């Protein structure tokens, strides 16, 4: 596959991953009401582990090396433990639109960690586009009165930082271990430690949960926790971590759209205006040159 074609396909996979992730907060908001924070935040990994174990066994995948295992611990801490648990906690008290706005800062966190973890050096054009997108979502947050930080806000901001590191580490590791293998092994690392806390929080009351809640939980376990990461890490490995991370600016507005459809949350004209600005920053950043440390910048 030619380099240009490979990068375009990487961007497409990144978009697929973002669309899948965009249903995570709406699904969490529905499921947490009936299953609770621990079951939703950690239980999704336990369920996903059964699917992942079958895949790993059937494909006879080799165990990661000690060096790769260290990187997988970082991925597991962010993508398997920190982000699911923190966002689930936040969704107990915040609307999806609130969480979507704050998670829009994730591309900056990912790109920042990419500099240190993957050796990528975004150009000035890239950072300008990132600043435009970030300012847009900050203005959006202030307009809606999200300026005062609550515990849930702090949880979301912590989730952004933790997942940004996990994305950068996973994108780098995917180039040598394989995209789906990264999240698969991360799930297998975390799942054994989650079985007891999840089991303790299981009650007979969850059997009375409506079908919508069960569908949401299954989506979180199968798609959000595994399949979406396969597409996302593949996209970053093929298209570049910093560049593909720009697509995440679409995620908050896709979340708001899905929240409107599934949760009856309203969408305003101001939201659409901000969405246009953010999409423009994504286009600008997508075409920005990104180079490796000590090398000549990539050409568009």
């Amino acid at each position: 596959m030619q380099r240009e074609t490979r990068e375009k396909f990487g961007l497409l996979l990144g978009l697929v991953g973002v669309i899948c992730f965009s249903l995570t907060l709406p699904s969490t908001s529905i499921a947490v009401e009936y299953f609770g924070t621990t079951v939703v935040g950690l239980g999704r990994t336990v369920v996903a582990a059964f699917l992942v174990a079958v895949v790993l066994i059937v494909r006879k995948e080799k165990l990661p090396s000690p060096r790769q295992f260290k990187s997988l611990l970082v991925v597991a801490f962010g993508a398997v433990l920190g982000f699911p648990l923190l966002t689930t906690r936040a969704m107990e008290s915040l609307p999806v639109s609130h969480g979507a706005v704050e998670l829009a800062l994730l591309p900056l966190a990912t790109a920042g960690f990419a500099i240190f973890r993957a050796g990528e050096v975004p150009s000035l054009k890239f950072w300008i586009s990132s600043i435009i997108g970030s300012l847009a979502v900050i203005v959006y947050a202030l307009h809606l009165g999200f300026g005062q930080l609550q515990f849930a806000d702090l949880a979301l901001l912590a989730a952004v930082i933790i997942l940004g590191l996990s994305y950068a580490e996973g994108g780098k590791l995917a180039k040598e271990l394989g995209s789906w293998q990264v999240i698969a092994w991360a799930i297998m690392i975390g799942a054994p430690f989650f079985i007891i806390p999840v089991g303790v929080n299981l009650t007979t009351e969850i059997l009375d949960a409506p079908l919508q809640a069960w569908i949401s939980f299954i989506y979180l376990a199968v798609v959000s926790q595994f399949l979406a990461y396969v597409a996302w890490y593949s996209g970053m490995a093929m298209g570049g971590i910093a560049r593909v991370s720009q697509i995440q600016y679409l995620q908050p507005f896709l979340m708001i759209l899905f929240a409107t459809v599934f949760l009856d949350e309203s969408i305003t004209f101001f939201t659409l205006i901000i969405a246009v600005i953010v999409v423009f920053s994504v286009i600008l950043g997508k075409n920005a040159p990104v180079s490796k440390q000590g090398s000549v910048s990539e050409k568009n």
Side-chain angles (χ1 to χ4, degrees):
M1 185 182 295
Q2 295 182 349
R3 182 177 181 179
E4 184 178 352
T5 302
R6 178 182 174 85
E7 290 181 350
K8 288 182 178 179
F9 189 61
L11 289 170
L12 177 61
L13 286 175
L15 178 60
V16 171
V18 165
I19 293 174
C20 292
F21 286 137
S22 297
L23 282 164
T24 298
L25 287 193
S27 298
T28 301
S29 181
I30 294 172
V32 71
E33 180 181 352
Y34 299 95
F35 300 135
T37 302
T38 302
V39 174
V40 175
L42 302 181
R44 68 179 78 174
T45 299
V46 175
V47 174
F50 288 98
L51 171 63
V52 170
V54 172
V55 175
L56 291 174
I57 292 173
V58 170
R59 291 182 57 89
K60 299 179 180 179
E61 292 291 328
K62 295 181 179 179
L63 291 173
S65 67
R67 178 181 59 81
Q68 293 171 336
F69 184 80
K70 291 180 181 179
S71 293
L72 286 170
L73 287 176
V74 176
V75 177
F77 176 72
V80 176
L81 172 63
F83 184 79
L85 198 59
L86 288 170
T87 52
T88 300
R89 174 64 181 84
M91 286 302 96
E92 286 184 315
S93 58
L94 295 179
V96 171
S97 58
H98 188 144
V101 167
E102 296 190 17
L103 290 185
L105 297 176
L106 184 56
L108 276 184
T110 304
F113 282 117
I115 294 177
F116 301 102
R117 302 304 300 165
E120 292 189 358
V121 183
S123 65
L124 179 61
K125 182 180 178 181
F126 173 89
W127 288 116
I128 290 175
S129 66
S130 296
I131 291 172
I132 292 174
S134 296
L135 287 177
V137 297
I138 289 173
V139 169
Y140 178 75
L142 292 175
H143 175 76
L144 296 180
F146 298 154
Q148 294 183 343
L149 293 180
Q150 308 170 28
F151 175 80
D153 291 291
L154 295 176
L156 283 175
L157 292 176
V160 166
I161 295 174
I162 292 173
L163 190 60
L165 173 59
S166 178
Y167 274 174
E169 190 71 26
K172 177 184 177 182
L173 185 59
K175 295 179 180 180
E176 56 178 273
L177 186 61
S179 57
W180 69 267
Q181 289 91 335
V182 170
I183 188 61
W185 285 116
I187 288 173
M188 296 307 296
I189 289 173
F193 298 97
F194 301 162
I195 293 176
I196 293 179
V198 170
V200 170
N201 284 274
L202 289 177
T203 64
T204 56
E205 295 178 357
I206 67 172
L207 298 177
D208 298 325
L211 180 61
Q212 186 181 25
W214 282 105
I215 292 176
S216 297
F217 179 75
I218 293 173
Y219 180 88
L220 291 171
V222 177
V223 180
S224 293
Q225 195 60 53
F226 182 50
L227 298 182
Y229 277 105
V230 173
W232 181 242
Y233 282 135
S234 297
M236 288 195 294
M238 299 176 71
I241 296 174
R243 180 172 294 169
V244 174
S245 71
Q246 289 286 307
I247 303 177
Q248 293 173 95
Y249 281 127
L250 294 173
Q251 187 167 307
F253 302 97
L254 288 173
M255 285 184 182
I256 292 172
L257 175 62
F258 290 138
T260 302
V261 174
F262 297 110
L263 301 175
D264 294 326
E265 291 190 14
S266 61
I267 180 171
T268 65
F269 179 73
F270 181 71
T271 298
L272 296 177
I273 294 299
I274 294 295
V276 171
I277 296 175
V278 174
V279 169
F280 174 77
S281 75
V282 172
I283 296 174
L284 182 65
K286 182 179 70 67
N287 295 319
V290 176
S291 64
K292 289 288 184 179
Q293 291 180 352
S295 64
V296 180
S297 296
E298 298 177 6
K299 294 181 180 180
N300 291 330

